[in-house]
Amino acid sequence: MVDNNYIYTPASTDITIRWKKIYGYVPASEQETYKKKWADFKAKFNKTLEDSDAIFVNPKVQQLWRKHKV
């Protein structure tokens, strides 16, 4: 006897398929709010000193550093 509400999936199958059908589950990787949240987080920590508005050293020294960058 199999209930019509039961969705059979083998043990090796991704459980999120069942959750999507039964509960309407949407993983965080498919939700725009979480995509934006992580994009903002990555952008915040990908900044370098060159992206900063503050000048920490003499502009002449900065020019020398930029010329000798590898």
Side-chain angles (χ1 to χ4, degrees), residues 46-61:
N46 281 337
K47 289 184 180 179
T48 63
L49 287 176
E50 291 179 355
D51 297 335
S52 173
D53 293 335
I55 297 175
F56 298 105
V57 294
N58 187 337
K60 289 182 182 180
V61 174

Side-chain angles (χ1 to χ4, degrees), residues 3-63:
D3 187 10
N4 289 337
N5 294 327
Y6 180 77
I7 300 168
Y8 173 77
T9 53
S12 62
T13 305
D14 185 8
I15 190 66
T16 58
I17 295 168
R18 185 182 299 173
W19 292 347
K20 284 180 183 181
K21 289 181 180 179
I22 296 174
Y23 306 112
Y25 171 75
V26 179
S29 62
E30 295 176 9
Q31 294 180 23
E32 291 302 319
T33 53
Y34 286 103
K35 286 181 183 180
K36 183 182 180 329
K37 175 184 174 180
W38 285 109
D40 293 345
F41 178 81
K42 288 178 184 177
K44 181 178 181 179
F45 286 97
N46 281 337
K47 289 184 180 179
T48 63
L49 287 176
E50 291 179 355
D51 297 335
S52 173
D53 293 335
I55 297 175
F56 298 105
V57 294
N58 187 337
K60 289 182 182 180
V61 174
Q62 279 186 341
Q63 287 176 350

